[in-house]
Amino acid sequence: SFRSIDLIREGEIIDSVDLYDTFIFGKPSFGKRLRSGDIIHINPSLNQVSVIGGVKRPNTYELKEDESLEIAITFANNLNSFADLSKIRVFRVKQGEIEAIQIDNLTQLDSMISKDFDSIVVGEYKYKKVSIEGAVENPGDYLLKEGDGITNAIKRAGGYTKEAYVFGSILENSATREI
């Protein structure tokens, strides 16, 4: 466990450390100094919860028994810009089956106490990154959503310049190169 480390001196727990305070929140969590004869006891981890998809730091996090699933989203550095809030699900093992729970609002996670092997899956909107060079007003990299075409990219780049020869445009992509 990174969340429950005890410092034992003369048979008594004199301090407990939660390393997530340091790793995730940047707070110093070391209070007592070690002495000769001290024991550092690392307790077993309890709830391993995976956060996948539209978050900034997807990973498996350890949650304490009384913590809600909302803290797992916090540990994952919250939602990213592509998160699709209509596609959030929690997968939970229940009586030998995997139960899928649709989350309609992030506040629902605050009332759900974590269980070992829970998975939070946050859907993401799909985008493509395109690069436009040449005779357009603003050459550069642009995001396009699924279904957008080259004309959408040219519009985002401010359109063609006055000097552009539109019939001389070349489209290159990795799929074409492979073919």
Side-chain angles (χ1 to χ4, degrees):
S1 173
F2 288 112
R3 309 282 321 270
S4 179
I5 301 169
D6 296 329
L7 174 58
I8 302 171
R9 183 173 293 151
E10 297 175 5
E12 291 184 30
I13 297 173
I14 63 162
D15 200 4
S16 289
V17 175
D18 181 348
L19 290 178
Y20 274 25
D21 286 341
T22 302
F23 295 160
I24 294 176
F25 301 113
K27 299 176 184 173
S29 57
F30 304 101
K32 305 280 184 183
R33 292 189 180 264
L34 292 176
R35 293 185 188 166
S36 179
D38 284 352
I39 297 171
I40 298 172
H41 181 258
I42 301 171
N43 293 295
S45 64
L46 299 173
N47 294 331
Q48 298 290 319
V49 175
S50 297
V51 184
I52 304 162
V55 293
K56 295 176 184 169
R57 190 173 41 213
N59 210 332
T60 300
Y61 297 96
E62 181 182 348
L63 273 64
K64 295 180 180 177
E65 286 185 325
D66 61 341
E67 288 181 320
S68 71
L69 290 177
E70 180 192 33
I71 194 74
I73 298 291
T74 302
F75 291 163
N77 205 12
N78 295 311
L79 303 176
N80 67 24
S81 299
F82 306 129
D84 182 353
L85 297 179
S86 69
K87 293 182 181 173
I88 300 175
R89 289 177 186 77
V90 172
F91 293 93
R92 177 172 279 176
V93 176
K94 188 174 183 181
Q95 298 175 349
E97 299 292 323
I98 298 174
E99 177 184 29
I101 305 165
Q102 175 67 37
I103 303 299
D104 298 319
N105 190 324
L106 277 177
T107 57
Q108 277 181 267
L109 294 176
D110 192 35
S111 62
M112 294 180 73
I113 300 300
S114 65
K115 296 201 183 304
D116 202 17
F117 295 109
D118 280 352
S119 290
I120 303 170
V121 179
V122 180
E124 288 185 288
Y125 294 108
K126 301 296 180 197
Y127 294 96
K128 297 178 188 176
K129 183 178 176 184
V130 298
S131 186
I132 300 180
E133 300 173 356
V136 291
E137 292 294 332
N138 302 301
D141 296 334
Y142 294 91
L143 288 178
L144 297 178
K145 64 182 181 182
E146 289 288 325
D148 281 353
I150 191 69
T151 55
N152 299 97
I154 293 168
K155 286 179 186 175
R156 287 214 177 89
Y160 290 112
T161 62
K162 292 185 294 183
E163 298 83 24
Y165 179 64
V166 292
F167 299 110
S169 299
I170 299 172
L171 171 64
E172 295 179 1
N173 65 35
S174 57
T176 304
R177 189 175 301 126
E178 290 175 17
I179 291 171

